[in-house]
Amino acid sequence: MTDIKDITWETWAKDVFPEWGTWLNEEIEQTVVPDNHFCMWWLGCTGLWVKTPGGANICIDLWLNTGKKTRNWPYPYGQGRDFQMTRITGSREIQPNTRVVPMVMNPFEIHEIDAVLSTHFHRDHIDQYVAAAVCRNTKDVPFIGPEYSANIWRSWGVPEERIRVVKPGDTIKIKDLEITAVDSFDRTALITDPPLGDIRGRMPDDMDVRAVNYVIKTPGGTIYHSGDSHFSNYYRKHGNDYDIDVALASFGENPPGCTDKMTSADCLRMAENLRAKVLIPFHYDIWCNMLADPAEIELLYNFKKERLGYVFHPYIWQVGGKYTYPQDRDRTRYMYPRGFGDAMADEPNIPFKSFL
């Protein structure tokens, strides 16, 4: 046992973080995906890990950083994420955006991976620690994303031969899955600052260089990852073009004067337009100032499901949880495994009568 005289900030940080240690890394590596299924894990924010029967492993928007850690924010309102929100709302107030959920994965223990994907350049959708760990632990795993994400990876030192720039319509095959980049509807990404350079006074450039959504076809079904997209009628086009099973929607509680996330009604409209079979909200978990309750989606769904033009249902997930499709298709809520399945298999050596 460590003597308290030897405990420092550094030992505390090393011993405690990430909060889940390698628990989830081990679970993903040890999971054998059944034929005609896929497994995925929610990693927080819009972070997603997908694994297939053929052993394909990809992560999308895996972010293992944090928000504000001090009230003495060192940057003026015109820099960083506060600048992004200033451009949207005109507010000069420092955002109280602290991280809510734990970090459930250790990036430096990622060894079995086939691709790192980013939907766009915002800092909670692309991660330097993940980039460093994957570059260190693997030889040729590609980093896939739109041009602005590629620029960030380059600035961090990711080798050029590993970077794969995609735009809507591009398709990449990895083992037994197929990834197609499709249009993003992230108007926040369109009007906020890029990570490199100063664009004050410039008009926004094309969405396709800033953000994409992904359609991921697996042997068990097709996933639609919406990144940070807002609602768009063009979801209907994607629903016509692809047979989507599970749609993930960026849901959140928009602060006054700011439309940055889809509302509960938007999420239902997205799923209906995509003709998805299952709707899973995400992103509502990560920032304290946009924290939302996904039960609102359930409530609204049950209120209007007879009027929706397509049959689907919402699924309320938990960060770090596994979802297997189509095995879990009819489930509506995730519950962490409780363990104790073999409780009382052997009689505990406890003097029960002494407690009676």
Side-chain angles (χ1 to χ4, degrees):
M1 184 175 294
T2 303
D3 190 294
I4 61 171
K5 294 191 299 296
D6 298 323
I7 294 176
T8 64
W9 185 92
E10 288 78 11
T11 59
W12 172 69
K14 183 178 179 180
D15 291 344
V16 174
F17 300 100
E19 291 94 331
W20 280 34
T22 59
W23 179 275
L24 191 59
N25 298 71
E26 296 163 18
E27 178 182 323
I28 292 173
E29 287 190 3
Q30 295 167 11
T31 293
V32 177
V33 182
D35 290 341
N36 302 314
H37 285 70
F38 66 81
C39 291
M40 61 183 187
W41 290 261
W42 185 18
L43 308 175
C45 197
T46 64
L48 194 72
W49 192 287
V50 179
K51 188 171 185 178
T52 67
N57 283 277
I58 64 170
C59 70
I60 308 163
D61 286 1
L62 173 53
W63 182 66
L64 297 171
N65 210 312
T66 188
K68 292 201 172 61
K69 297 185 293 184
T70 174
R71 292 180 178 272
N72 298 315
W73 188 238
Y75 307 108
Y77 75 91
Q79 295 185 31
R81 183 166 173 81
D82 292 299
F83 178 36
Q84 295 173 185
M85 293 298 109
T86 296
R87 295 197 66 178
I88 294 174
T89 67
S91 172
R92 300 188 178 193
E93 182 180 357
I94 296 295
Q95 289 187 82
N97 55 315
T98 55
R99 183 178 176 124
V100 177
V101 296
M103 297 182 196
V104 296
M105 176 168 280
N106 184 333
F108 294 96
E109 293 300 325
I110 295 175
H111 301 283
E112 297 178 9
I113 188 169
D114 295 289
V116 175
L117 281 70
S118 168
T119 59
H120 66 291
F121 63 89
H122 282 158
R123 64 183 298 269
D124 50 347
H125 299 264
I126 189 168
D127 189 272
Q128 61 187 341
Y129 302 106
V130 173
V134 171
C135 284
R136 185 174 304 171
N137 293 346
T138 69
K139 291 183 178 180
D140 55 4
V141 169
F143 289 74
I144 301 168
E147 183 179 319
Y148 276 40
S149 294
N151 289 341
I152 294 177
W153 284 321
R154 288 189 187 98
S155 74
W156 290 341
V158 174
E160 185 66 32
E161 63 271 17
R162 288 203 185 206
I163 298 173
R164 177 76 180 269
V165 176
V166 291
K167 59 184 183 304
D170 290 344
T171 295
I172 297 173
K173 293 186 177 181
I174 298 175
K175 294 181 178 176
D176 57 344
L177 62 72
E178 182 178 273
I179 304 164
T180 300
V182 296
D183 310 83
S184 170
F185 315 117
D186 184 0
R187 286 182 289 278
T188 302
L190 190 63
I191 65 174
T192 54
D193 60 317
L196 303 175
D198 188 344
I199 64 166
R200 291 177 176 86
R202 265 179 45 192
M203 291 297 291
D205 44 18
D206 196 304
M207 176 75 85
D208 294 348
V209 303
R210 289 173 173 254
V212 295
N213 294 351
Y214 292 110
V215 175
I216 304 159
K217 186 177 180 181
T218 80
T222 300
I223 305 162
Y224 186 95
H225 192 295
S226 65
D228 258 359
S229 285
H230 301 207
F231 178 77
S232 171
N233 291 323
Y234 209 77
Y235 281 129
R236 187 62 168 185
K237 179 68 164 59
H238 291 172
N240 291 338
D241 291 346
Y242 303 96
D243 183 13
I244 296 165
D245 293 285
V246 179
L248 297 117
S250 274
F251 169 57
E253 191 69 47
N254 293 304
C258 178
T259 299
D260 187 53
K261 299 289 177 286
M262 283 193 281
T263 67
S264 54
D266 291 333
C267 291
L268 293 178
R269 291 187 70 200
M270 169 187 159
E272 181 182 17
N273 278 273
L274 288 174
R275 306 175 192 266
K277 299 173 181 65
V278 179
L279 164 67
I280 302 180
F282 59 1
H283 209 320
Y284 63 86
D285 64 301
I286 198 75
W287 298 118
C288 65
N289 60 334
M290 295 187 181
L291 190 66
D293 188 341
E296 179 184 331
I297 295 176
E298 285 183 319
L299 181 68
L300 187 59
Y301 170 81
N302 287 323
F303 176 76
K304 63 184 299 183
K305 62 184 177 182
E306 302 303 328
R307 287 176 284 171
L308 294 171
Y310 189 79
V311 178
F312 66 92
H313 69 268
Y315 176 76
I316 308 305
W317 215 355
Q318 297 290 340
V319 174
K322 179 172 74 171
Y323 182 81
T324 303
Y325 190 89
Q327 175 182 303
D328 295 334
R329 173 177 169 173
D330 296 329
R331 295 182 61 188
T332 58
R333 276 185 174 259
Y334 178 82
M335 175 65 184
Y336 290 111
R338 302 177 70 186
F340 306 103
D342 61 350
M344 305 301 289
D346 295 313
E347 185 173 351
N349 186 22
I350 299 176
F352 289 104
K353 292 183 180 179
S354 65
F355 295 100
L356 298 179

